Structure formats: C-alpha cells, structure tokens
C-alpha cells in the first residue's frame, strides 16, 4: 500500500484516480507522496519514506526543491494545466486596462441613490471611455504554456502581438501563431508596445525585470499586466511610473501592501482559481505522481531530469538510482550489478544540473546486497526498487 497525504484540499478529479493500491493519510510522516497547492513546506521535516511531492499548479516557491533533490525527493508541477484559466483572466485584464470599467462600476455604485442616475451616467461615462484593444500592440514576455495561449488569443482579437522568449521550447514554438512577431531584444518590447504582459518564472535574471529603466523606455500610458509572480515587477518603480502617468495602468494578481497603495493599480487576485483549472491541475499531479511511484518515470519535475522507460516490463525488475551528476557514476552503478551477477536488460541515464537519475531494467529481482552497495556509493542520494 502506498500512502498519499494532501496538504491542501485537492480536487477529487485527481484523488479519484488513485487505485486500490493507494490510501490517503492524514499523517505526512507516513506518506510516500504529498499533494500540495499553496501550503508552505520550507519548514517541514520529511519522512524517510517520502518519494515525491506533486504541486497541483505551476509555481513551486512554497517547496524547498533543492533540499528535496538532496534527499532524493522528486518535486513535480503541472505546467499548462491551468493555462486556459490564466489566459482568460489576462484577456479580461487587457480590457480592464483599456476601458474605465472599474471606475465606471464604482461611479454607478457611488451614485446608486440618484433618481436621475440614468441621465447622469450618460454624461459621466465620457470620462471612462478608454480605447479599443484591436490594432494595438501587445508585448508578451515569456512564451511558455500560458504566454503562448495569451499571444494566440490576442491575435484572434485583432491585436498586433510581439513575443519575447530566448528559451522558448520547440513544443511551445509549434503552438504559437505565425502572426506573432518574434522579438530578440526585450527593450524593443518596452519601447513599442501599448500593452505588456509577463509570463516568466521568478528566478535570478527575471526578478525585478520590470523596474525603473524598463518603465522609462515604455510608451507614455502603457499598460502593464502581471499574472505571473509579484517579484517580477519593482514596486517602487511601478508606483512612480503610475503616479507620473508614464504607465497608464498596472493590472496584477498580487495584492501586496505596496501594490494596494498604487495609483491606477487594479488587483483582481483571482489567478487560475477556476473549478476547471483546479480539476486539471489535480489530475495531472496525481498522474505524474503515480507514474513515478509505480514505474519510476519522471515527467514535469522541477528538481530532477525528465526520464521515461514506460511501464515496468513483465518478468523483469526495475531499479532507480538518484545521484549526483559526477563522472564515472554510471560505470560504478553497473559494476555493482555485474558483481552481483545480475544482467542489465535496459538502462537510461539523465541529468539536470547537479542531479542525475539512472533507471535499470534487470532480468531478475534486485538483490538486497546490490541495494546496499549502491547506497554506499559516494554521490548516491537514494536507491529504489521500483518493481
């Protein structure tokens, strides 16, 4: 029996996928895997039997991914599962930033007791007129699962779309409309676009990427959308740009004290909070977790390399070794099985930064003595007999 602990409420669309060989537990120390959404895990101590943490969402800032890698715990996320939900709220934000919708609603509420509100509203609405987004230039920073969908939808709405992403994958590139202009210099996006939307992770090189210099390059009255991470925008610089009118509006999903004090900032704070997105994320997280626990395969991990050898083959056993990405590790691992007289039928090795992962299909059960020898090798973090 494998035990799974849910740190947050996880949609039943995910947990219902668990087979009879799994059982939900309230005790995280007992768990082979943890399903999580937003709960903070940095101060958690992990049990020796914990093999995987699956985040039902894309961001993993709440998970100590480096410590998990050192302890041989695979951290999964669910990129793209909530992409449509975020795309839709970004499209909504484009309209909120182009028309005085929020101010218009507030005016009507403030004047609700006026018996002549219909006539008064006709006169007042001129101050909330705004402009149309059709024909305007949209700059999309980051063309991953969400950025690509935003770019394509904006093209369909008649916008002139420009995309910047020096690391765009081949798969993502195939999903992007040919009408999206590829930009190689981020400054060109800041200088020429009427609207800018950010879809990159928070990491060294992106934190504070929209700061004073970026704002100074923007067209007067540009609208900035941030539904990715709050730290991507320098709050002090944005507050100054909004106050001066250099930036016309800042629509963000992050209700920090600094943002809430900003003039012309709109904060819906809804993100990917739709029933469909939660269902999709939960299902993907559970499927990734089960494939790893049952077959050793890794897909959409943020701290270990992708590795897939399919289902465990009938009549054979499978061993998985997590280790440091250092020279001669593969030969030392295979030597152990040679010493034990075990034939290796199939093998794969993948690496990601300092972490590496080796899976081996064997023609007989994995001897306990082989496991002991593997665990004793310098640089080995965890050894699993998968099946």
């Amino acid at each position: 029996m494998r035990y799974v602990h849910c740190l947050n409420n996880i949609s039943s669309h995910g947990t219902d996928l668990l087979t009879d060989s799994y059982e939900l537990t309230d005790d995280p120390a007992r768990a082979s895997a943890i399903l999580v959404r937003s709960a903070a895990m940095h101060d958690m101590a992990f049990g020796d039997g914990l093999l995987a943490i699956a985040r039902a969402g894309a961001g993993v800032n709440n998970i100590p991914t480096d410590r998990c890698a050192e302890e041989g715990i695979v951290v999964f996320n669910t990129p793209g599962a909530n992409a449509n939900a975020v795309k839709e709220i970004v499209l909504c934000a484009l309209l909120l930033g182009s028309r005085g919708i929020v101010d218009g609603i507030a005016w009507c509420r403030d004047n609700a007791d006026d018996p002549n509100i219909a006539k008064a509203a006709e006169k007042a609405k001129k101050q909330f007129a705004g402009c149309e987004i059709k024909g305007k230039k949209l700059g999309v920073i980051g063309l991953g699962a969400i950025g690509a969908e935003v770019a394509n939808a904006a093209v369909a709405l008649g916008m002139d779309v420009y995309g910047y992403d020096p690391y765009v994958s081949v798969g993502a590139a195939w999903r992007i409309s040919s009408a999206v202009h590829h930009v190689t210099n981020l400054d060109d996006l800041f200088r020429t676009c009427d609207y800018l939307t950010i879809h990159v992770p928070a990491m060294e090189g992106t934190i504070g990427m929209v700061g004073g210099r970026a704002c100074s390059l923007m067209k007067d009255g540009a609208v900035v959308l941030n539904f990715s991470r709050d730290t991507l925008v320098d709050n002090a610089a944005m507050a100054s740009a909004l106050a001066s009118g250099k930036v016309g509006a800042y629509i963000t999903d992050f209700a920090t004290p600094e943002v809430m004090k900003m003039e012309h900032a709109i904060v819906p704070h809804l993100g990917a909070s739709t029933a469909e997105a939660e269902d999709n994320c939960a299902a993907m997280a559970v499927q990734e977790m089960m494939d790893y626990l049952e077959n050793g395969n890794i897909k959409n991990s943020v701290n270990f390399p992708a590795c897939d050898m399919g289902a465990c083959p009938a009549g054979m056993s499978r061993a998985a070794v997590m280790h440091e990405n250092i020279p001669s590790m593969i030969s030392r691992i295979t030597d152990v099985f040679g010493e034990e007289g075990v034939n290796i039928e199939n093998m794969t090795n993948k690496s990601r930064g300092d972490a590496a992962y080796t899976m081996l299909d064997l023609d007989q059960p994995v001897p306990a003595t082989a496991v002991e020898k593997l665990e004793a090798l310098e640089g080995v973090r965890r050894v699993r007999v998968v099946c």
Side-chain angles (χ1 to χ4, degrees):
M1 183 67 68
R2 299 181 177 95
Y3 294 97
V4 178
H5 176 70
C6 297
L7 270 179
N8 298 104
N9 289 326
I10 302 297
S11 167
S12 60
H13 280 248
T15 54
D16 285 351
L17 297 174
L18 296 172
T19 63
D20 292 341
S21 61
Y22 293 86
E23 184 176 314
L24 294 175
T25 177
D26 292 330
D27 183 5
R30 192 184 186 191
S32 299
I34 290 176
L35 294 169
V36 63
R37 289 173 58 199
S38 58
M41 302 185 69
H42 285 276
D43 295 331
M44 283 185 65
F46 301 130
D48 293 338
L50 184 64
L51 301 175
I53 297 171
R55 159 80 162 99
V60 292
N61 292 352
N62 58 319
I63 304 170
T65 55
D66 290 340
R67 174 160 67 95
C68 288
E70 292 170 3
E71 297 182 24
I73 301 168
V74 181
V75 179
F76 297 94
N77 68 345
T78 57
N82 62 1
N84 187 70
V86 179
K87 175 200 73 178
E88 289 186 2
I89 198 169
V90 170
L91 296 179
C92 175
L94 282 170
L95 299 173
L96 291 176
S98 64
R99 308 282 292 274
I101 296 170
V102 173
D103 291 337
I105 292 171
W107 185 95
C108 289
R109 288 293 183 189
D110 291 342
N111 293 273
D113 295 331
D114 183 352
N116 297 311
I117 188 172
K119 288 186 178 181
E122 281 297 314
K123 294 180 180 179
K125 72 179 183 181
K126 294 179 181 178
Q127 62 186 303
F128 311 125
C131 64
E132 298 179 10
I133 63 173
K134 184 177 181 179
K136 303 299 189 300
K137 292 184 178 180
L138 171 67
V140 182
I141 303 171
L143 293 166
I146 295 172
E149 288 215 19
V150 169
N152 292 344
V155 167
L157 290 172
M159 299 190 78
D160 190 14
V161 183
Y162 296 77
Y164 171 83
D165 192 335
Y167 309 108
V168 64
S169 67
V170 173
W174 276 106
R175 294 193 297 269
I176 300 168
S177 167
S178 60
V180 176
H181 308 288
H182 179 220
V183 176
T184 58
N185 187 336
L186 185 57
D187 287 355
D188 290 340
L189 236 58
F190 293 137
R191 290 190 185 100
T192 62
C193 290
D194 305 292
Y195 300 83
L196 292 145
T197 181
I198 313 166
H199 300 286
V200 297
M203 56 190 290
E204 186 178 356
T206 64
I207 293 175
M209 67 186 302
V210 179
R213 179 179 176 277
C215 290
S216 69
L217 294 174
M218 294 179 193
K219 297 173 67 173
D220 291 346
V223 174
V224 179
L225 316 180
N226 179 15
F227 286 80
S228 188
R229 287 290 179 268
D230 61 328
T231 54
L232 301 175
V233 174
D234 183 296
N235 284 332
M238 181 56 66
S240 177
L242 288 167
S244 69
K246 182 65 176 177
V247 172
Y250 177 45
I251 301 98
T252 179
D253 208 42
F254 307 104
T256 64
E258 297 82 5
V259 170
M260 298 313 299
K261 296 175 184 176
M262 291 181 190
E263 188 177 1
H264 304 303
I266 301 172
V267 188
H269 192 59
L270 296 174
S273 297
T274 65
E276 294 88 346
E278 291 183 10
D279 291 347
N280 293 340
C281 288
M284 183 183 289
V286 169
Q287 288 165 342
E288 292 167 351
M289 175 199 75
M290 290 173 64
D291 193 22
Y292 175 66
L293 295 180
E294 296 172 17
N295 301 304
N297 298 324
I298 297 176
K299 181 180 181 182
N300 293 328
S301 171
V302 298
N303 63 346
F304 276 94
C307 190
D308 190 342
M309 288 181 65
C312 285
M316 286 194 281
S317 62
R318 176 172 291 175
V321 184
M322 294 173 161
H323 53 89
E324 296 175 11
N325 185 20
I326 54 178
S328 77
M329 279 302 303
I330 296 176
S331 61
R332 283 188 277 166
I333 291 170
T334 55
D335 284 348
V336 167
F337 289 104
E339 293 168 4
E340 294 292 323
V342 177
N343 184 50
I344 299 172
E345 295 283 350
N346 193 15
M347 183 181 75
T348 187
N349 170 269
K350 300 292 181 180
S351 63
R352 176 176 180 166
D354 296 333
Y357 187 60
T358 301
M359 278 202 295
L360 310 98
D361 283 344
L362 313 168
D363 64 358
Q364 65 186 69
V366 182
T369 50
V371 174
E372 292 174 1
K373 288 180 179 180
L374 289 169
E375 290 176 336
L377 293 176
E378 184 179 356
V380 169
R381 296 173 176 176
R382 186 188 288 268
V383 179
R384 286 184 63 207
V385 177
V386 180
C387 59

